[in-house]
Amino acid sequence: MLLVKAGYEVEARPESVPAILARDGVVLIQQGSVAEVRDLLEGWTVPVDHPHQVADGLTVITPRFDSEVADNGAGFTDLPLPPHTDRSLHEQPPGVLATLMLAPARAGGTATLVDGARVLTILRRRAEDAAIARLRLKTTAGQLGPPVVEFTSGHARIRYRDDRIAHPQSTDGHTDLVADLRRLITETVRSLHLSEGDGYLVHNHRFLHGRTAFTGDRSLARFLARVNSDHPYAWLNRGFSIASS
């Protein structure tokens, strides 16, 4: 398995992965296997369970429902998935997410990534942190969920989705700020073609991920985890580092 620093095309050592996530938020995987990705995560992370998992922290994402599904099963269709945070509505979303392509789609199914740190940097030039902090996820049932951006001392954590489950809303009526957020995500999205054995490892509190619609039996392994509490980079579970405004 080959690990690559995204944007640098430089090979990364496995032991440097936590530091790279802290700095860049993403590491690309090439020519990997499920066993190798699990080994990569072992020792510095703990698996995070998911209702659809086939093993601790491991879910195989493949079409199993029809396109009319109207809940969290949308990931298990051939529909597009807009950029999102995994487990965004949960109290503690996993800090680490990895994917590995098992079988590419016949057509489509391109992976998409958005660096939330870049989006937030631009958004903070246009709005005060207090206004950004009042952006909340609102479910289709009308319930207000967690903040889209959680600010803590020196850190921020993004929880984002914009689909049939929930969408961003400003609790003080700044619809222009919501529009800015959506536009920035669209403008900064990066497409990533994944062949068999390719994937990515991201800081789930920083990077949004998704895919385009596809045809065929695309199959992807997804790993959810959090950083061990005694690890030097355990702070990744709280978010990513930001400069004060």
Side-chain angles (χ1 to χ4, degrees):
M1 179 172 69
L2 181 66
L3 303 175
V4 178
K5 297 179 184 179
Y8 300 95
E9 301 303 321
V10 175
E11 186 174 353
R13 300 186 311 274
E15 62 271 20
S16 69
V17 165
I20 296 172
L21 284 189
R23 185 191 65 201
D24 302 329
V26 58
V27 176
L28 302 182
I29 299 169
Q30 296 177 358
Q31 303 168 21
S33 68
V34 169
E36 287 174 318
V37 176
R38 296 191 75 165
D39 286 346
L40 176 65
L41 295 173
E42 188 174 357
W44 64 283
T45 71
V46 177
V48 172
D49 288 341
H50 187 278
H52 296 115
Q53 67 185 26
V54 297
D56 291 347
L58 170 61
T59 304
V60 177
I61 311 294
T62 192
R64 64 177 76 167
F65 302 133
D66 63 40
S67 60
E68 297 303 315
V69 68
D71 57 17
N72 280 321
F76 298 95
T77 70
D78 54 10
L79 297 172
L81 289 181
H84 63 281
T85 302
D86 256 37
R87 311 297 273 168
S88 56
L89 293 172
H90 285 249
E91 181 178 355
Q92 181 64 37
V96 176
L97 177 144
T99 70
L100 186 74
M101 185 63 70
L102 304 178
R106 184 166 62 249
T110 300
T112 55
L113 293 174
V114 174
D115 187 352
R118 181 183 177 193
V119 169
L120 182 57
T121 295
I122 300 172
L123 201 63
R124 294 175 85 197
R125 296 171 186 158
R126 305 177 181 181
E128 298 293 331
D129 286 357
I132 296 173
R134 286 191 286 272
L135 296 175
R136 301 277 293 274
L137 289 180
K138 185 176 182 179
T139 70
T140 51
Q143 297 177 322
L144 276 181
V148 173
V149 181
E150 295 175 293
F151 290 105
T152 57
S153 180
H155 295 86
R157 174 165 63 181
I158 294 177
R159 300 166 180 259
Y160 187 82
R161 67 186 303 159
D162 193 5
D163 54 20
R164 293 185 289 185
I165 303 300
H167 58 272
Q169 176 178 296
S170 171
T171 58
D172 53 7
H174 286 177
T175 56
D176 56 333
L177 188 55
V178 175
D180 279 345
L181 175 62
R182 284 175 165 146
R183 183 172 61 254
L184 286 170
I185 289 173
T186 299
E187 290 175 351
T188 60
V189 68
R190 172 188 179 186
S191 296
L192 186 64
H193 174 74
L194 300 179
S195 299
E196 182 179 347
D198 292 345
Y200 52 81
L201 177 67
V202 298
H203 187 191
N204 187 49
H205 297 169
R206 171 175 169 175
F207 262 80
L208 314 178
H209 70 285
R211 68 164 189 246
T212 62
F214 64 91
T215 59
D217 294 326
R218 182 182 190 267
S219 183
L220 183 86
R222 183 195 62 195
F223 306 78
L224 300 178
R226 68 175 184 274
V227 182
N228 288 338
S229 59
D230 59 352
H231 193 275
Y233 287 97
W235 58 264
L236 288 169
N237 293 324
R238 303 193 306 272
F240 55 94
S241 180
I242 59 171
S244 59
S245 56

